[in-house]
Every structure is written in C-alpha cells, then in structure tokens.
Amino acid sequence: MSVEFRQPEGLHGQSPGPGGPSRATDTDPPSLPAPWSLPRWRAYVAAAVLCYINLLNYMNWFIIAGVLLDVQKFFHISDSNAGLLQTVFISFLLLSAPVFGYLGDRHSRKATLSFGILLWSGAGLSSSFISPRYSWLFFLSRGLVGTGTASYSTIAPTVLGDLFVRDQRTRVLAIFYIFIPVGSGLGYVLGSAVAELTGNWRWALRIMPCLEAVALILLIMLVPDPPRGAAEKQGVATTGDPRSSWCEDVRYLWRNWSFVWSTLGVTAMAFVTGALGFWAPKFLFEARVVHGLLLPCFREPCNSQDSLIFGALTVVTGIIGVILGAETSRRYKKVNPQAEPLICAASLLAAAPCLYLALILAPTTLLASYVFLALGELLLSCNWAVVADILLSVVVPRCRGTAEALQITVGHILGDAGSPYLMGLISSALQAGRPDTYLQRFLSLQQSFLCCAFVIALGGGCFLLTALYLERDQAQAQKSGTGILESENQRLIPGRGVPPKDP
C-alpha cells in the first residue's frame, strides 16, 4: 500500500476573492504542512532494502557462533568466557537501544540507521585483525557491533509501520522478520564455510563489510523517512503529533498491559533463542563425538559440518515458521480479534516439550534429536512477525520507536544478554565436579540447557495474559493515532469533516 495524502480545501490559510487570492487574516486557521505521498512501488522497494539490511544484521549476530570452536582455540577461552562474547554483544545493544529509540522518535530515522550500519561494519572489520594476546579487545569490538545493530533493530520496524497498514503491514512484517532466522542461519553458514575454505575464521568478518557497504548505499538512495503515523492517517493532511517527553512515553508504555505482557513473552523467546543459537552448533558437534561419528577437536580449524547443518535448519524452519505464523494470524484474527497473542502462546507452549525432547534424546539417537530441534525452531519462528504486529497495533505512532527500544532492552537484559553466559557458566560448573571426558562435557552442556524448556513455557503464559488486554489497547492506540488530527480538522473547518479514506 502506498501512502498518499490529499490536502483538503481551505487549509492553507487563504481565501480566494474576486480579485484573486488574498493574504491570510488573523481569523484564518493556521496553515498545515503539505501532504506527504509515496508511490506504491517506492514503498515496496524500500521494504526490500530494509529486508536485505535485516538479513545482514542477523548474520552479524551469529557469525561468531558458526566458528565458536575456532575462536575458543585462537583466543584460548573457556566455555564460560565464550558465552560472555554474546553477553557483551547483547549488553552493548540493550544499553544503546533506548538512545536510538529516543532519536528515532524525534530525529531523522534514515541518518540514525546509516550511522548504525557504519558503526557495526567498521567494528566487525577491525575485530578480524586483533591479536590473540588482546582477547579483551575482541570482546569490546563485539560490543560495538551490538551498538550498531541496536539502531537497526529499534528503528527499521517503525519505518515499515509508517509505510504499510493492516493486512499489508502484516505481510510485509512477515517478510521482514523471515530474515531473523534466515540471517541467523546464514551467519552460521558463512562463518563455517569461509573458515573451511580459507583455513582462517577471520575472513568471515572481512567479507561482511563489503555486503554492508552495498546496504548503506541502497538505504541512502531508496529508503524514505515517512512522517510518523503516516499509514494510519491516510486521507488526512499530516501534522506532527503533540510532542511528549521521553519519560511521558515510558509511563504510557508501562500502563499499556498488552505491551508489558507481550514484552515479557518476547523476553522468554530471546532467552531461549540466544542460548540455543550460540551453543547449539557446539552441542551437536559434541553429540556426534559421543556417538563416535567424529574425532574431538584439539586445534583449529575444527569440523564445521554441524554449524552448516544447524544454519540450514534455522533458515528452512525460519522461513516456514514466519510465513505460517503470519498467515495464520492474518486469517484467524478475522474470526477472533485476540488471535495474535493466542497464536504466540500456543506455539511457545508446544515448543517447550519439543526442545526438552531434543536435548534428552541427543545421547541416544541423533536423528530424533534433530527432528525435535527442527520442530522447536519452527514453532519459535512462528512468532517473530506476529509479536511485531502486536506492538505496532497497541502503541500510538508517536512513540513506537521508544516502544521498540524498550522491548529490545527488556528482552535482552532478561533474555539473551545473559542466557549464553549462564549456559556456559552452568556447564563449566558441572564439568568441574566430573571426570574430564568428552561424554561428561557433553552431558554438562546438555543439562545446562534444560531450563530453556521451562522458560519458553513461561513465555507462552505471558502471551495468554496479553490476549486479555489486546482489544482495549488496540482501540486506544487507534483513537490516539487518528482522533487528534480529525478533531482538530473539524474544529478548524466548521461544517466540514475529514475527507473519506481511500478504500
């Protein structure tokens, strides 16, 4: 859907007379800005560019996980310190997200996105030249990459929310969020494939900036910065919403119970996907060693087949899951207005036993473990586009950037900022009291994962609570998003209403 606005007559503060236009008088209504418009094809091109950048964004998240064994050997770090790599990345991201959310609600979103891409690509390239003596500098560089990606994860969905509305927004967000699992999977694949081809894992970090330079050029040339709330205000001249302070926005969001409970549900998802995404390739590698299918890795480069398999599994289940979740939501909410949180709750409650069985069956049968792991990933992926649509539908346009930032911050603080480190810490603690064998290392990592099944079930409960408040909060957001302008236009032009919306 293109976003086009037509200026109603008489809104420019001038009244034509017999002698031509006359100057505005003191009694004339104040002038409103010219309507903002964008052709349909431009909106879809912008969406395609944002999807491409989202792909690169999530490749950066998991490219290190694809070569984790090599990184551990290169910098001589244990499981607990390896988990800290992802924790540093996420910690920088969550500290930066509120800043970018504030900037995205008040300043040029396009400039903020461009800065973020420059930051994460520069930090990623620099990290590939760090000596093994300066492992702390590598950790810092991963943090700077996290800071750059925070700008994109916070702001890009709000741009799409201002280009599309209703069913079209659901479809576009589904495509956009497909690139979370696809980018994550390709991060594993690129990292492990480049390490295997070149014999040096650092070349994976040197290829990414080339792709990101293309992304920056496309962003500058093809992506507009639509007025906030543009899609909801079709047919009405776009004016700036009454500006509120950041503290007022935060107070509004914490009183929005749909936002609060869905954020806690997203937090549970982030906890599990963060731990699973970081440790699963190593877990599968050690499972194959236990089954006698591979020899242990004592020096780099290590066998990367499991990273390739897990990456491919993530891509396939991610594409199917996001499309399935978005399409089910689109159809079911025509029958039940609470469809979106109910779909999220059902998928998480079904994913919990799948992940549990994948972990328990790994020492005895790898095939069954892979099957249940794939089902768990599929069910988790069903939610990515749906939770974004929930946020955009229950939050007023003027503070969607802040809402995205707060959801990211809370989700990462309580979710994937600590889960990889926590899993590594538990694994190292369990290993300390056991014989130093590959079987015991594998069992320690397996048992550290078991809490993920419990956490994902809690997330399902949070989405059930979201369903209780959804309709009320959607109605309030829609009224706040359009009612102010409509009432003001009616006040300014007595006897005339707002022109009808385009069908």
Side-chain angles (χ1 to χ4, degrees), residues 63-87:
I63 196 168
I64 294 298
V67 290
L68 182 59
L69 285 169
D70 295 308
V71 172
Q72 285 185 271
K73 300 297 178 186
F74 184 79
F75 288 107
H76 308 291
I77 53 180
S78 64
D79 280 357
S80 59
N81 286 333
L84 193 59
L85 265 175
Q86 192 74 349
T87 298

Side-chain angles (χ1 to χ4, degrees), residues 139-154:
F139 280 74
L140 179 61
S141 69
R142 290 303 295 166
L144 292 176
V145 173
T147 299
T149 60
S151 68
Y152 197 78
S153 299
T154 302

Side-chain angles (χ1 to χ4, degrees), residues 353-409:
C354 290
L355 292 176
Y356 178 80
L357 290 171
L359 295 169
I360 293 299
L361 294 175
T364 55
T365 167
L366 271 178
L367 179 60
S369 180
Y370 269 110
V371 170
F372 283 109
L373 181 62
L375 285 173
E377 283 204 286
L378 177 68
L379 291 165
L380 284 171
S381 297
C382 287
N383 291 349
W384 291 118
V386 182
V387 296
D389 215 7
I390 290 173
L391 183 147
L392 292 173
S393 70
V394 301
V395 175
V396 296
R398 64 177 168 79
C399 58
R400 284 175 179 164
T402 299
E404 289 279 357
L406 281 178
Q407 190 167 90
I408 288 172
T409 301

Side-chain angles (χ1 to χ4, degrees), residues 209-497:
C210 301
L211 303 175
E212 288 152 358
V214 175
L216 181 60
I217 294 170
L218 292 175
L219 174 72
I220 293 171
M221 295 179 62
L222 300 177
V223 177
D225 190 356
R228 290 155 184 82
E232 283 88 347
K233 298 168 185 172
Q234 293 184 79
V236 182
T238 305
T239 65
D241 286 337
R243 187 68 262 158
S244 57
S245 70
W246 186 82
C247 291
E248 289 171 335
D249 289 349
V250 172
R251 282 196 296 270
Y252 156 73
L253 291 170
W254 289 129
R255 290 194 298 265
N256 185 323
W257 286 105
S258 296
F259 171 77
V260 171
W261 286 116
S262 63
T263 295
L264 293 175
V266 169
T267 300
M269 291 169 55
F271 184 96
V272 174
T273 54
L276 191 67
F278 194 77
W279 289 111
K282 182 176 181 180
F283 175 79
L284 296 172
F285 174 85
E286 293 190 348
R288 297 211 303 153
V289 172
V290 168
H291 281 272
L293 301 175
L294 283 178
L295 293 174
C297 176
F298 295 109
R299 67 174 188 173
E300 58 173 310
C302 299
N303 188 297
S304 57
Q305 183 178 356
D306 295 288
S307 293
L308 289 169
I309 294 172
F310 184 71
L313 200 65
T314 302
V315 170
V316 174
T317 57
I319 292 173
I320 297 172
V322 171
I323 293 174
L324 181 64
E327 190 61 20
T328 303
S329 169
R330 188 183 70 83
R331 292 174 182 273
Y332 185 36
K333 69 184 176 183
K334 294 177 181 178
V335 179
N336 185 345
Q338 299 172 328
E340 291 166 324
L342 292 177
I343 288 169
C344 292
S347 63
L348 293 189
L349 292 173
C354 290
L355 292 176
Y356 178 80
L357 290 171
L359 295 169
I360 293 299
L361 294 175
T364 55
T365 167
L366 271 178
L367 179 60
S369 180
Y370 269 110
V371 170
F372 283 109
L373 181 62
L375 285 173
E377 283 204 286
L378 177 68
L379 291 165
L380 284 171
S381 297
C382 287
N383 291 349
W384 291 118
V386 182
V387 296
D389 215 7
I390 290 173
L391 183 147
L392 292 173
S393 70
V394 301
V395 175
V396 296
R398 64 177 168 79
C399 58
R400 284 175 179 164
T402 299
E404 289 279 357
L406 281 178
Q407 190 167 90
I408 288 172
T409 301
V410 173
H412 291 318
I413 286 176
L414 302 178
D416 54 353
S419 63
Y421 179 63
L422 180 62
M423 298 300 103
L425 197 63
I426 294 172
S427 176
S428 295
L430 292 173
Q431 286 178 33
R434 297 175 175 178
D436 188 17
T437 65
Y438 239 88
L439 175 61
Q440 293 303 321
R441 292 180 200 171
F442 168 75
L443 291 176
S444 298
L445 188 58
Q446 176 207 43
Q447 291 160 14
S448 70
F449 262 127
L450 292 177
C451 65
C452 289
F454 175 73
V455 171
I456 206 66
L458 286 179
C462 291
F463 281 113
L464 289 176
L465 291 170
T466 303
L468 298 177
Y469 300 95
L470 184 75
E471 291 180 86
R472 183 199 69 181
D473 293 333
Q474 283 179 330
Q476 290 178 352
Q478 186 175 13
K479 182 180 179 181
S480 299
T482 59
I484 293 173
L485 284 177
E486 289 177 3
S487 61
E488 178 149 345
N489 282 343
Q490 290 168 350
R491 178 177 63 80
L492 292 176
I493 315 171
R496 297 185 62 175

